[in-house]
Amino acid sequence: MSGESVLIPDDRSFSNFKEECGSDDGWSLTYNKSGLTVLTQTIGGDEEKSLHKLKCRMVCRDVSAETMYDVLHDIEYRRKWDANVIETFDIGKLTVNADVGYYSWKCPKPLRNRDVITLRSWLPMGSDYIIMNYSVKHPKYPPKKDMVRAVSIQTGYLIQSHGPTHCTLTYLAHVDPKGSLPKWVVNKSSQFLAPKAMKKISKACLKYGEWKQRHNPGIKPWLYPEQTTLPTIPLSELSIQHADSLENIDESTLSEMQTREERDSD
């Protein structure tokens, strides 16, 4: 997303995102197990300070593309299954398939937790679905003192249908976490945290139907935009969130603190 004005992604943006999800040229495979692969790509020459792109691809043989799409959209359900979430909420809508939201998440200890404000857009493409976002600034939600404001350069999901109960989920993340991260964080993200997060999404899909029956089963504003209760935000209220305008945190010397779950998995 180049340029200074905030733009709502067009069909070409979605097509380019889908193409990048499908092409693994220039990517390094870091994890491959049980139908789940993780690839990374380094942007820039300095390994310690460069940005990393992350791509996760998971084959789900017992989940429909429609259910996966619902689960990734449903913010109420995310609060239930996403163990990393600290706070998440929608700020307002831009169009029938674009909104602005806030998300904060727990980082591996002892790193400081991160948050983002993103413009999110979504599009069904035949039997496939795309949800993608990039960082914006909103005047009512400046960076918080106890959080590091990260920048999503472009992040999103591609869901590809292979039948009534069979789909592939690709997660592509190009995020500037703001700060010099120790190398163990990059390794841990690609070899432990990312696979774990993808498996959680898959498990959440299996329980979604039952949960949704008890929680406003007919309300899905991502499918039926007339159901949304969000206020409309004019694009003029938003501006591009540039990484260089945010505080840089040097956490490169911090040592890893393993959780009990990670020790048990070793």
Side-chain angles (χ1 to χ4, degrees):
M1 294 291 166
S2 58
E4 292 303 308
S5 57
V6 172
L7 300 174
I8 294 171
D10 56 14
D11 288 350
R12 179 179 288 184
S13 301
F14 283 102
S15 296
N16 290 345
F17 179 82
K18 184 176 181 178
E19 191 176 316
E20 187 172 5
C21 284
S23 173
D24 294 341
D25 291 345
W27 291 76
S28 301
L29 184 68
T30 60
Y31 182 98
N32 186 3
K33 195 174 178 181
S34 307
L36 174 56
T37 57
V38 180
L39 303 99
T40 58
Q41 188 181 77
T42 303
I43 316 278
D46 188 338
E47 183 70 23
E48 289 297 321
K49 294 182 180 176
S50 56
L51 296 178
H52 294 263
K53 282 187 178 182
L54 184 71
K55 184 189 296 185
C56 309
R57 192 177 291 124
M58 175 174 63
V59 178
C60 301
R61 301 195 180 278
D62 43 11
V63 175
S64 69
E66 291 80 8
T67 297
M68 181 69 74
Y69 187 60
D70 286 348
V71 166
L72 292 173
H73 264 294
D74 198 321
I75 196 167
E76 298 298 330
Y77 190 51
R78 178 172 284 273
R79 293 187 185 113
K80 177 176 173 61
W81 65 263
D82 187 350
N84 291 321
V85 68
I86 298 171
E87 187 180 14
T88 182
F89 55 85
D90 296 325
I91 295 170
K93 68 174 181 178
L94 296 165
T95 66
V96 293
N97 68 324
D99 62 17
V100 177
Y102 173 87
Y103 181 79
S104 58
W105 69 96
K106 300 170 190 167
C107 287
K109 291 183 178 180
L111 303 185
R112 283 169 61 184
N113 295 328
R114 260 69 175 173
D115 68 356
V116 285
I117 304 281
T118 60
L119 187 160
R120 185 180 62 152
S121 53
W122 54 93
L123 187 70
M125 299 178 73
S127 59
D128 302 337
Y129 302 88
I130 290 176
I131 306 170
M132 61 186 190
N133 72 61
Y134 70 96
S135 280
V136 293
K137 281 195 284 192
H138 189 288
K140 292 182 181 175
Y141 300 93
K144 298 182 176 183
K145 288 182 180 177
D146 59 337
M147 293 273 178
V148 177
R149 178 64 49 91
V151 176
S152 168
I153 297 162
Q154 185 174 55
T155 301
Y157 298 97
L158 167 66
I159 307 161
Q160 296 170 290
S161 177
H162 306 300
T165 58
H166 182 192
C167 72
T168 298
L169 173 65
T170 303
Y171 169 68
L172 180 64
H174 186 190
V175 176
D176 186 340
K178 285 315 297 172
S180 302
L181 295 177
K183 197 168 183 181
W184 64 261
V185 172
V186 178
N187 294 335
K188 185 174 184 174
S189 295
S190 62
Q191 295 166 22
F192 179 79
L193 299 176
K196 179 183 167 191
M198 294 292 278
K199 289 172 190 171
K200 281 201 169 180
I201 293 172
S202 180
K203 287 180 181 176
C205 287
L206 298 177
K207 298 176 181 178
Y208 182 66
E210 181 188 347
W211 180 89
K212 189 61 177 170
Q213 282 299 317
R214 304 193 310 272
H215 299 83
N216 302 312
I219 304 298
K220 295 182 178 181
W222 53 93
L223 297 180
Y224 313 110
E226 67 276 7
Q227 293 179 344
T228 187
T229 56
L230 291 175
T232 299
I233 299 177
L235 267 180
S236 57
E237 275 190 21
L238 306 173
S239 55
I240 298 288
Q241 177 65 77
H242 290 290
D244 55 13
S245 69
L246 292 167
E247 181 186 7
N248 250 322
I249 310 296
D250 186 358
E251 297 175 308
S252 58
T253 59
L254 294 177
S255 300
E256 182 175 5
M257 293 170 60
Q258 275 198 323
T259 64
R260 179 181 296 175
E261 181 182 4
E262 291 163 67
R263 287 194 295 270
D264 292 344
S265 69
D266 287 345

